[in-house]
Amino acid sequence: MRKVKRMTVAALAAIIGLASCATEEFVSGDANGSLNGGNAGKSDLKSVNLKIGSSSPSTRAEGNSMSNGAVTFNGGFLLFVSDENNITKVMEITTGLGVQNDTQVDISLLTQPDGADITDVPGHSKSAWVIGNLPGNISAPVTGESLTTLKGKLVGYASQHDITNVTLFGGSTIVPENQKLVARFELAPVVARIEIKKIESAIGSDITSFRVDGIFINNYYDEIQLDGYAPNVAVNHEQEGDFALNSLAYPTAENGYLFDYETGLGVGLGTTSDAGRSYKPSAGDAWAYNLLAPKTFATAASAPHIVIRLSGITTTSGVNYNDVWYLTISGLKVGLNKVDYLEPGKVYLIDNILFAQSNIQPDPEMKPIEVAVEVSLVDWQVKDTEVIFGQE
């Protein structure tokens, strides 16, 4: 079982913004005479002053969200791209090296008050992109590479389980605006996050005690492209044998990625309370899962399901619930709105999964059972960042 601690939202304050209200701004010279009569694509831009702001982030979460650490920028690349969609310049964004040359710039220099001057940016560069925390299967981008090819590279769910090292991607074209050239874009994680704080038999329910053997995320995307496109349908398991430790669907090596399972014989997952009516994580605040969150889909969008494996059920009615039963959460809501798909960079915080005897079934994913869980939607980070281009 993965241990989960409370998120420290200030950890990324001086690094990078991660939410839908985060912006990056690039400005170069003016958009008229000094840029060849206003043709931004043919500018004589040769020097760039790049600054990443250091204002403190905030969240809209009551009590914030829980995680095993804050999302951080552990290294990445700044890319300039031509109108033909080819990468014209690549700079590695390092952390802790404190150096700057034609191919590298340290994050500490980009966050200083005056930013960092970056020279020799090709004049035909038409857009700027930032990639952070590349997964191991994606090679570092190189000059001349097609941005389209780079965007199409696949990110697998197993590479995103560490909240401190999720992949970040964003970029936009540079356009004239108020006598400047500006590009605004989101730099966001490719994942969303589901967090579950408590599982409880509702007051008045016939169920007086139970044991949680495991929690499984089902109907999930196993890979998406770097640009957020899902080329495949969601993975959905329906056989009872799938929802067990070391099954083909949920191998032991991935315990804590898409599922949590208690390996101790006859011991529940977490800590019981309320005379056996509820379970919470035995350490930390929540069971948490980072899930790939596509922006566009090859087929209809699909939201994840949560399958909870239960055993040891006792009731006031004396009904004998032998063996294993399942609680399948196939619906999530934010306010009154059902969640059709997860949004990248959001945390879906479930305070409590309340269930009754009528909600449990002898098999997982039995239709048409649906328990709609009210979730609090929060951003990992909310921060405005300004980046300024300067002309030689």
Side-chain angles (χ1 to χ4, degrees):
M1 182 183 67
R2 182 171 48 185
K3 303 298 189 296
V4 185
K5 299 179 181 178
R6 183 169 295 276
M7 172 181 288
T8 53
V9 297
L12 197 55
I15 299 179
I16 211 102
L18 297 181
S20 58
C21 15
T23 59
E24 317 288 323
E25 183 170 344
F26 290 77
V27 181
S28 172
D30 63 50
N32 295 303
S34 63
L35 296 182
N36 298 325
N39 187 342
K42 302 299 181 181
S43 76
D44 295 324
L45 176 66
K46 293 182 180 179
S47 177
V48 175
N49 178 264
L50 179 61
K51 177 184 176 183
I52 297 179
S54 58
S55 58
S56 297
S58 60
T59 73
R60 290 193 292 271
E62 291 186 5
N64 299 329
S65 64
M66 285 65 65
S67 77
N68 59 353
V71 176
T72 55
F73 191 97
N74 298 310
F77 300 91
L78 169 64
L79 313 177
F80 296 94
V81 179
S82 71
D83 206 22
E84 291 75 25
N85 224 32
N86 295 320
I87 298 174
T88 62
K89 183 179 179 67
V90 177
M91 293 195 71
E92 181 183 6
I93 303 176
T94 61
T95 57
L97 298 181
V99 300
Q100 180 183 352
N101 51 46
D102 189 50
T103 60
Q104 290 182 316
V105 59
D106 195 80
I107 192 74
S108 62
L109 301 177
L110 299 177
T111 56
Q112 63 185 356
D114 295 328
D117 291 324
I118 301 175
T119 60
D120 297 326
V121 176
H124 61 295
S125 301
K126 293 295 296 293
S127 63
W129 297 79
V130 171
I131 304 172
N133 305 339
L134 277 181
N137 65 297
I138 299 182
S139 302
V142 295
T143 301
E145 182 179 0
S146 166
L147 181 66
T148 301
T149 300
L150 179 63
K151 286 181 177 180
K153 293 186 177 180
L154 295 172
V155 178
Y157 69 86
S159 68
Q160 302 298 306
H161 66 93
D162 182 0
I163 190 67
T164 66
N165 200 40
V166 296
T167 299
L168 315 170
F169 186 69
S172 180
T173 56
I174 303 170
V175 296
E177 181 181 300
N178 297 326
Q179 302 301 306
K180 298 177 181 180
L181 292 179
V182 176
R184 292 188 176 91
F185 61 88
E186 298 176 359
L187 184 61
V190 299
V191 298
R193 185 172 176 87
I194 287 181
E195 301 180 344
I196 304 168
K197 296 183 66 175
K198 187 178 182 181
I199 302 170
E200 180 181 4
S201 172
I203 298 296
S205 166
D206 288 343
I207 297 176
T208 55
S209 66
F210 62 95
R211 184 168 58 244
V212 176
D213 295 332
I215 302 171
F216 300 83
I217 300 297
N218 197 24
N219 206 56
Y220 61 90
Y221 291 93
D222 61 346
E223 59 182 13
I224 62 173
Q225 294 180 177
L226 189 60
D227 63 359
Y229 176 75
N232 304 315
V233 297
V235 177
N236 188 281
H237 303 293
E238 295 185 352
Q239 301 301 315
E240 183 178 2
D242 291 332
F243 298 92
L245 184 66
N246 205 28
S247 67
L248 292 177
Y250 299 95
T252 302
E254 296 185 1
N255 194 357
Y257 295 4
L258 288 173
F259 74 103
D260 281 296
Y261 198 91
E262 180 53 62
T263 57
L265 185 63
V267 179
L269 177 69
T271 301
T272 186
S273 58
D274 304 319
R277 299 186 69 95
S278 67
Y279 271 83
K280 294 181 178 180
S282 57
D285 296 304
W287 293 289
Y289 309 94
N290 295 341
L291 304 177
L292 295 173
K295 296 178 181 178
T296 55
F297 307 82
T299 58
S302 187
H305 299 173
I306 304 169
V307 176
I308 302 172
R309 176 172 165 151
L310 305 173
S311 63
I313 298 173
T314 63
T315 68
T316 57
S317 61
V319 175
N320 189 1
Y321 283 87
N322 291 322
D323 203 23
V324 174
W325 285 69
Y326 295 90
L327 172 65
T328 299
I329 313 300
S330 57
L332 300 177
K333 293 193 302 180
V334 175
L336 299 177
N337 299 317
K338 184 173 179 178
V339 175
D340 294 320
Y341 57 91
L342 300 186
E343 297 181 51
K346 305 293 185 181
V347 178
Y348 295 78
L349 176 60
I350 303 172
D351 284 324
N352 194 5
I353 295 178
L354 283 170
F355 70 98
Q357 186 174 347
S358 60
N359 298 134
I360 62 175
Q361 296 291 328
D363 294 299
E365 292 288 355
M366 288 185 68
K367 302 296 190 286
I369 296 299
E370 176 178 292
V371 180
V373 178
E374 195 76 19
V375 302
S376 300
L377 183 61
V378 303
D379 293 325
W380 277 342
Q381 303 288 341
V382 180
K383 183 171 72 67
D384 292 330
T385 300
E386 182 174 282
V387 182
I388 300 177
F389 278 46
Q391 188 178 21
E392 280 188 343

